[in-house]
Amino acid sequence: MAKTIQQRVRFDAPPERVYALYADPRLHSAATGAPAKFVAKAGAEFHAHGPYIRGRLLLLEPGRRIVQTWRGGDWKPSVPDSVLVLNFTRAGKGTELYMVHANVPDEHAGHLTSGWRSAYWTPFRRYLKQHG
């Protein structure tokens, strides 16, 4: 049975800046320290963390929301793609990011729950602290 991962994360930067860290492949790569390749437009394919993550961008609302299909490179071919929704909301001078990662295969849910924190939220904070 598939799982849903939900996380709320705060950043000391405006929503437009945090959104850009995920939606701009150059910033995505710089912030995470791992290669990302995509064109930020609905319908485009994306690859992140080298060949490990891939999917398709479904919706991009600059500074507000990103929706994409998402799958890990180690997922069985028979497993359907998951869906990732990132919502960016102003919280004081910063941002609250609310993530819903739905349809995650059971065997990957634990790894991805911690992986979002270690591969994205912590590096995003570090990047924002260093680069504003």
Side-chain angles (χ1 to χ4, degrees), residues 25-36 48-50 118-120 123-124 126-127:
R26 183 184 59 79
L27 292 174
H28 191 119
S29 297
T32 63
H49 283 266
S118 63
Y120 279 92
F124 275 21
R126 186 176 21 234
Y127 184 90

Side-chain angles (χ1 to χ4, degrees), residues 1-75:
M1 182 156 173
K3 302 279 188 204
T4 297
I5 302 167
Q6 298 179 59
Q7 296 180 353
R8 287 187 188 277
V9 189
R10 291 206 176 224
F11 296 96
D12 292 329
E16 297 78 15
R17 181 74 171 131
V18 180
Y19 174 95
L21 290 181
Y22 197 90
D24 177 316
R26 183 184 59 79
L27 292 174
H28 191 119
S29 297
T32 63
K37 283 180 71 172
F38 57 91
V39 175
K41 70 178 207 174
E45 290 185 11
F46 78 92
H47 296 272
H49 283 266
Y52 180 71
I53 302 167
R54 64 183 167 87
R56 186 169 302 279
L57 297 165
L58 301 176
L59 176 70
L60 295 156
E61 293 179 20
R64 295 190 47 210
R65 182 175 298 119
I66 297 170
V67 180
Q68 59 187 187
T69 64
W70 196 104
R71 73 180 297 114
D74 56 350
W75 292 13

Side-chain angles (χ1 to χ4, degrees), residues 3-9 22 58 64-70 75 81-88 96-104 112-113 116 121:
K3 302 279 188 204
T4 297
I5 302 167
Q6 298 179 59
Q7 296 180 353
R8 287 187 188 277
V9 189
Y22 197 90
L58 301 176
R64 295 190 47 210
R65 182 175 298 119
I66 297 170
V67 180
Q68 59 187 187
T69 64
W70 196 104
W75 292 13
D81 291 352
S82 62
V83 175
L84 176 69
V85 179
L86 301 172
N87 288 297
F88 305 83
E96 180 180 84
L97 184 152
Y98 177 56
M99 180 200 79
V100 177
H101 192 171
N103 204 35
V104 174
L112 289 176
T113 297
W116 278 108
W121 314 145

